[in-house]
Amino acid sequence: MSTPAQAAAAGPASIKKVYEKEKAKVGGLWHTHIAAVDATGALKPIVEDDADHVTYGYSVQKLAVATAVMDKIDRGLLTLGTKLDLQADIILGGSGIYHLHRVWGDEITVANFLTAMLLVSDNTAVRMCGRVAPALEINEILAAKGFVHTRVEPVANPNRFFLGTTTPREMHDLLWRLATKTLLKPESCDFLLSITRWINGYHDGVRRVMSSKERERVATKYGADFNDLGESRHEAGIMFSADGAPLLTYAMFAEGLGDPENYGATHPAVQAHAKIGRTMFDNLPAAPATTARTAVPRTLPKPFHPVSGG
């Protein structure tokens, strides 16, 4: 019969074992930070695999871009209702929805393009963000929040940028502060979490083998691209208890992978994310008994109900 200490250690050990197994199977270069709360509510690392490596975050960086825009909203320089025109010459292909419209010129709110950027990883939305928060200002905001390596990459046009770099540890920090409502004002954190937890978001990786109710307990952001090393497949997020307490963060960055141009669920690294994700969820710690509801802010998603129109 196991002791309470052995039982408490079994969950993290299972997560680490599955992570190592999947990493070895997939190959490539992995840079990962996974952490979960202990009985006191303190975060304890489960996997620290080259967690301070500076890497291209690709679309995971959209979390940092959204953070900078929301910081300006918190300071009264913008509102979620601020409108910009969706210009034809700003449209980018790749992931997203705006390039599918075929006609442009709409006036859309900041809330609209932030939702598109985080829910369906819209690339045009990044350019819309650059119109309200230029590259250098985004980097200044991130630096002021204590991030050393999480940066966008400026280009000649001050309102445009490449998505830039981060580290697994810094992305873990961003996620944990988002979940505990210390990254931004609580209502701003709730807005970003409501998008990244919504069940219409990305399902190929960590959330693949989960029910809709389970998916609502996971806020996640995926990123995929390629560089000279090979393919990159990243995913970072937060898992919550059923009553909204943040329990676990993950930031998995894998590069130097094979299977080029496969951005679907069958990519080996994405399949690995699904297995690791199911293992993490099945081994979530209990919410700390010593944590009062008023001590750690909790976030419950709006329940999903199908609607047939009308």
Side-chain angles (χ1 to χ4, degrees):
M1 185 174 180
S2 64
T3 66
Q6 288 171 329
S14 296
I15 293 169
K16 187 170 185 178
K17 180 180 179 181
V18 170
Y19 169 80
E20 294 292 350
K21 177 182 177 182
E22 293 303 315
K23 172 189 170 183
K25 184 190 302 182
V26 173
L29 304 169
W30 288 61
H31 322 289
T32 297
H33 191 289
I34 301 172
V37 297
D38 64 11
T40 70
L43 273 174
K44 298 294 184 182
I46 296 173
V47 175
E48 291 182 288
D49 183 3
D50 204 15
D52 296 305
H53 180 81
V54 180
T55 190
Y56 289 107
Y58 300 122
S59 286
V60 172
Q61 294 288 97
K62 292 169 183 175
L63 289 167
V65 174
T67 295
V69 174
M70 294 305 299
D71 180 84
K72 293 192 69 172
I73 290 173
D74 286 352
R75 290 182 285 127
L77 302 177
L78 291 170
T79 71
L80 284 174
T82 300
K83 290 185 177 180
L84 282 76
D85 58 328
L86 185 61
Q87 304 164 349
D89 63 359
I90 207 171
I91 301 299
L92 275 176
S95 59
I97 56 172
Y98 295 134
H99 68 94
L100 300 173
H101 288 190
R102 302 288 180 93
V103 293
W104 300 281
D106 320 47
E107 281 202 342
I108 61 175
T109 62
V110 171
N112 183 310
F113 60 74
L114 285 178
T115 301
M117 183 173 72
L118 295 180
L119 191 69
V120 294
S121 207
D122 194 287
N123 290 327
T124 300
V126 176
R127 286 186 169 180
M128 296 293 280
C129 288
R131 292 171 64 189
V132 298
L136 293 180
E137 185 178 16
I138 289 174
N139 285 341
E140 288 172 357
I141 291 169
L142 294 172
K145 291 186 178 298
F147 299 108
V148 177
H149 301 292
T150 305
R151 298 287 187 271
V152 298
E153 185 180 327
V155 295
N157 184 332
N159 299 106
R160 294 187 184 177
F161 48 85
F162 293 110
L163 286 167
T165 58
T166 189
T167 72
R169 197 180 306 277
E170 287 197 4
M171 191 52 60
H172 147 80
D173 184 42
L174 185 152
L175 291 163
W176 185 248
R177 289 163 62 186
L178 184 65
T180 56
K181 315 299 174 66
T182 58
L183 183 68
L184 300 157
K185 287 184 177 179
E187 58 269 27
S188 295
C189 292
D190 279 339
F191 175 68
L192 298 184
L193 287 170
S194 72
I195 300 167
T196 50
R197 289 177 73 170
W198 195 237
I199 67 167
N200 293 117
Y202 177 72
H203 295 150
D204 283 349
V206 164
R207 299 201 294 183
R208 188 193 309 183
V209 193
M210 294 185 186
S211 70
S212 58
K213 288 297 182 186
E214 290 172 332
R215 287 172 174 173
E216 288 176 353
R217 291 171 52 188
V218 182
T220 202
K221 185 69 192 76
Y222 172 63
D225 209 320
F226 64 92
N227 56 38
D228 291 343
L229 295 173
E231 297 295 309
S232 295
R233 300 291 181 270
H234 308 328
E235 193 167 357
I238 320 159
M239 293 185 175
F240 296 84
S241 67
D243 62 351
L247 300 178
L248 180 147
T249 65
Y250 56 91
M252 299 182 287
F253 295 83
E255 57 186 353
L257 303 169
D259 204 3
E261 299 186 11
N262 179 1
Y263 296 100
T266 61
H267 190 282
V270 177
Q271 291 180 321
H273 291 164
K275 292 177 182 177
I276 297 166
R278 185 69 250 179
T279 304
M280 290 190 295
F281 197 90
D282 288 341
N283 288 277
L284 286 174
T290 57
T291 302
R293 286 183 176 273
T294 54
V296 175
R298 302 190 180 207
T299 302
L300 289 172
K302 181 180 178 182
F304 174 80
H305 298 291
V307 176
S308 61

